[in-house]
């Protein structure tokens, strides 16, 4: 279970990525590599908007890592 | 464990998809890509009805991401 | 952790499948596709009886989805 | 997290397999298929003794299913 | 979540392996097979020292099984 | 769920790696092998800075093992 304390660095970092509309890459446990901008997060999911403006609801338990898109 | 607070964006978003009978795609951690309409959700599962009107009970822990079907 | 509240739709649905002795398919996170009838469920497992009358104890955390066998 | 209530059918069933020294197969999420007799269980693990009398400590979170060895 | 009650057989067994400096094999959910001696355990991890005296911090959630190295 | 008690050896060990700016390798459940220096940890994630000074936010649930880079 995710600890969704907004004082945690991991939660704040994602919050900063949302505010700055940063382009990110999400690697999933399925091996999928998703790219887009995060528009919100909650305890269960991150909401990503891809280059085609389509929203993707990504479950936290399926995320391996996140980095800025080069 | 899923946080099933109906005020959470991720729970409300799925609830909207149910009300609007939207066609969605679910990518699972198995690599399976399921398509259909969500007819209900609870703390453990999402219930999907596929194009052949067959119901599929999908466990949340197995979901990687969800998006609208193009 | 599974929420094993018998009022939950996902728990009741499996309970109905047990009562009606429905033939089901279980897709596991291993990629295995098991077929049979569910004879009981508890918080940790589903007990499946396959076509050879052999019992298979399936852990919930390993289940991706369940559907009726065509 | 496993619910290790000894009144649960899944816990009692494994306890019966221990008492009767039944030969079982364990399919793991890694795809491994282990065979042997269970000599004890606790909240985290099942202890299996294989045909070479070697003990294998198997974590519950890694178990997909268990069945009697034919 | 691991139950780290030192009275549990699974915790005591690993404690014995540490005291006796036993050579073990750890199979991970990634498919990796690590070999070495366990030098400590806590609620999250097992610390393994391999043949080159290098320490490997292994997360419990990634362990499938453990056995003595032949 | 990770136990993030700073008295735990696994948490302290990572804290030492941060202080000493040690080069580490992280093997993920996806099979990815990430290399870099850890700059912080919290209950959900480890933050890694790779050789190109890019930050990678790694979810704990996706980590299999960690070792020093040779």
């Amino acid at each position: 279970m995710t600890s969704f304390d907004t004082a945690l660095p991991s939660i704040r970092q994602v919050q900063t990525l949302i505010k700055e509309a940063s382009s990110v890459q999400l690697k999933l446990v399925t091996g999928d590599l998703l790219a887009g901008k995060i528009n919100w997060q909650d305890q269960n999911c991150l909401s990503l908007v891809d280059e085609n403006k389509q929203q993707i609801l990504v479950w936290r338990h399926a995320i391996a890592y996140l980095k800025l898109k080069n």
Side-chain angles (χ1 to χ4, degrees), chain A:
Chain A
M1 196 170 74
T2 297
S3 184
F4 198 70
D5 178 344
T6 53
L8 286 176
S10 61
I11 303 295
R12 282 189 289 124
Q13 184 118 4
V14 171
Q15 211 55 38
T16 300
L17 294 169
I18 295 170
K19 284 182 189 160
E20 299 181 352
S22 307
S23 291
V24 301
Q25 283 185 320
L26 279 180
K27 178 74 178 258
L28 304 189
V29 295
T30 51
D32 287 294
L33 191 62
L34 303 178
K37 294 176 182 187
I38 308 171
N39 58 343
W40 53 261
Q41 63 173 330
D42 71 6
Q43 194 151 354
N44 304 319
C45 294
L46 262 65
S47 170
L48 200 73
V49 178
D50 72 11
E51 292 160 355
N52 305 313
K53 305 290 179 195
Q54 190 178 13
Q55 192 210 344
I56 308 173
L57 197 57
V58 185
W59 266 260
R60 284 181 183 272
H61 59 233
I63 303 175
Y65 65 78
L66 176 158
K67 59 180 177 181
L68 287 176
K69 201 180 167 186
N70 294 318

